[in-house]
Amino acid sequence: MNEWIGFPGLRAMGEEERQALERVLSRGALYRGTGLAPPEEVEGCEEELARLVGRKHVLMLNSGTSALLAALHALGVGEGDEVIVPSYGWLTNVSSVLYVGATPVFVPVGPGLTVDTSFLEQALSPRTKAITPIHACGWPCDMETIRGFARKHGLAVLDDASQALGSSATWGDVTAYSFQAFKIVTGGEGGALATDDTSLYLSAVRFHDSGLSRMARHRPKPMGYEVPVGLGLNLRMSELEAALIRVQLRRLPQIRESLKKASRILLDVFAPALASGGVRHLTPPDGAIDNGTFLIFEAAEARTAHAFDAALKQAGCHIHLVSKDRTHGLPGWLEYLDTNRLPHRVVGRDVALERSERVLALHVNWALTETELAQVRSAVGSFLTSI
């Protein structure tokens, strides 16, 4: 059986997305700056996403990684600074910090794979400039505690909501989003930066467009060439990506409902394993709402987690045991950083590594067939036999 992956936004695509792409092609405006007709998709996408997440400014970019880079630049993070990073996320949560010249300082995540705020004080140093909480697997971070910590110490908060659109997550000074193919809403690739701070927004606009300010919304049109006002890169989103994302944003409630329904079915399949006491299903604390893209499990012991992981992988499930995931968690990151002699610090190393042996994240696929569900049931039986 081939490993099945959630791909929630991709699975929801249909005729509306095809028509959106054809509309862009027929108008002859692929680039947000100009074309055979006035471009409209990227700017329209920014306005719609801003309304959805309740932020004053949104800047669409070509990836979530670009959003992180633009946000770090806008916040003035650079050489000599330290940035507090949770020990679970994605490679570019680390590399973006390194690319601007700063040093990542890792802190453990809790069982729900979001930052364990009890370690923040230990991570603090005179060089700390920012904290980058990650709403991993669609779970909201404890932003109230994080924002309070940041205010107390004069730190910026750049939260990564790449996996959290459609959750109850609240935001920091700047928020990064991703619309890559794995996400709940997708344009194939794409990212966004959201903020209420106009100066941060304008700085990010210039950085993502080669140092120019011509892409700022509400500027007089047409946009002409100008003298760059700073260093920048080309991180712009195309009209094609934005057209897809606009349709997908309208589908978000439907996609979330499909994921929640699939989660209930999967949890019923997993019931015998959960009843064994060796593995438990985690839910967000204090009334927080995840977006349904993942189910998170915690095993009482590492050997149980490894057995659960092996059984579900054999059935084709796309599941991450953090300690075995080379791209999403601290064990793989440390191997990469140490091999390449890149700067970093780790706070609570033993806690982070121990937890990585017991926590698993499963992609929810709302298109599983009865045959595939039967294979998962068989895998649960194999797991129970193995323990």
Side-chain angles (χ1 to χ4, degrees):
M1 177 181 178
N2 293 324
E3 181 179 65
W4 48 260
I5 300 175
F7 290 127
L10 193 60
R11 293 184 189 280
M13 284 194 175
E15 181 63 19
E16 287 185 62
E17 283 85 355
R18 186 186 67 79
Q19 291 177 359
L21 292 177
E22 288 182 348
R23 182 178 67 249
V24 173
L25 293 172
S26 66
R27 296 182 73 251
L30 305 184
Y31 155 60
R32 74 168 298 175
T34 188
L36 301 179
E40 58 185 27
E41 300 293 345
V42 178
E43 190 163 317
C45 194
E46 289 170 341
E47 293 171 351
E48 290 161 13
L49 183 57
R51 285 196 296 271
L52 177 65
V53 300
R55 302 303 289 267
K56 184 177 180 181
H57 302 293
V58 164
L59 174 68
M60 304 305 294
L61 301 101
N62 58 10
S63 71
T65 301
S66 294
L68 291 171
L69 280 171
L72 289 166
H73 171 82
L75 291 168
V77 177
E79 189 171 352
D81 294 329
E82 290 185 346
V83 177
I84 300 174
V85 180
S87 60
Y88 184 83
W90 176 242
L91 279 171
T92 55
N93 292 110
V94 182
S95 61
S96 58
V97 172
L98 292 166
Y99 264 104
V100 298
T103 298
V105 179
F106 299 108
V107 294
V109 293
L113 297 178
T114 59
V115 60
D116 185 335
T117 57
S118 68
F119 285 89
L120 295 180
E121 291 284 351
Q122 297 178 46
L124 199 64
S125 84
R127 297 169 56 195
T128 308
K129 185 70 174 283
I131 176 171
T132 59
I134 303 167
H135 306 287
C137 300
W139 273 45
C141 295
D142 180 3
M143 292 301 291
E144 183 177 354
T145 299
I146 291 167
R147 286 192 296 260
F149 171 80
R151 283 194 299 270
K152 177 182 176 182
H153 298 289
L155 307 179
V157 179
L158 162 56
D159 59 307
D160 184 344
S162 293
Q163 294 182 324
L165 195 64
S167 74
S168 64
T170 57
W171 320 123
D173 301 303
V174 190
T175 302
Y177 296 90
S178 172
F179 302 99
Q180 183 261 358
F182 283 92
K183 304 304 187 291
I184 192 168
V185 164
T186 185
E189 290 284 2
L193 174 155
T195 183
D196 293 322
D197 188 313
T198 300
S199 64
L200 291 179
Y201 162 72
L202 291 173
S203 179
V205 167
R206 291 189 291 269
F207 182 75
H208 104 296
D209 187 30
S210 307
L212 305 173
S213 61
R214 56 188 176 157
M215 296 299 176
R217 285 173 55 212
H218 312 306
R219 276 179 58 90
K221 302 293 191 295
M223 291 181 283
Y225 289 97
E226 58 187 42
V227 176
V229 292
L231 292 176
L233 302 170
N234 176 6
L235 309 177
R236 299 185 299 264
M237 175 176 281
S238 78
E239 290 281 285
L240 288 166
E241 290 167 325
L244 287 176
I245 294 166
R246 293 180 77 182
V247 176
Q248 292 260 296
L249 288 174
R250 296 194 292 272
R251 292 193 190 275
L252 181 57
Q254 165 206 333
I255 296 171
R256 286 190 71 251
E257 183 56 37
S258 296
L259 289 166
K260 292 296 185 180
K261 180 179 179 181
S263 294
R264 291 191 292 270
I265 293 170
L266 284 168
L267 287 172
D268 182 64
V269 172
F270 291 134
L274 301 177
S276 73
V279 177
R280 67 186 183 112
H281 169 237
L282 302 181
T283 56
D286 303 325
I289 301 171
D290 67 300
N291 65 3
T293 49
F294 287 81
L295 293 174
I296 300 180
F297 301 94
E298 181 185 29
E301 299 178 357
R303 67 177 186 85
T304 307
H306 283 258
F308 194 60
D309 177 66
L312 293 188
K313 276 190 167 67
Q314 184 65 31
C317 297
H318 191 65
I319 189 166
H320 302 281
L321 174 59
V322 177
S323 65
K324 294 171 67 175
D325 190 329
R326 313 316 293 169
T327 55
H328 286 87
L330 187 63
W333 294 351
L334 290 179
E335 180 181 330
Y336 163 75
L337 293 166
D338 290 339
T339 299
N340 291 280
R341 299 181 180 179
L342 294 168
H344 61 281
R345 284 201 297 121
V346 184
V347 172
R349 178 189 295 257
D350 291 345
V351 172
L353 294 178
E354 191 276 332
R355 288 175 179 171
S356 77
E357 294 284 354
R358 296 188 297 107
V359 180
L360 310 99
L362 172 73
H363 282 252
V364 174
N365 177 353
W366 52 264
L368 287 180
T369 65
E370 286 299 324
T371 299
E372 289 167 330
L373 286 170
Q375 289 173 306
V376 179
R377 286 190 185 92
S378 177
V380 170
S382 298
F383 162 71
L384 291 171
T385 302
S386 72
I387 62 171

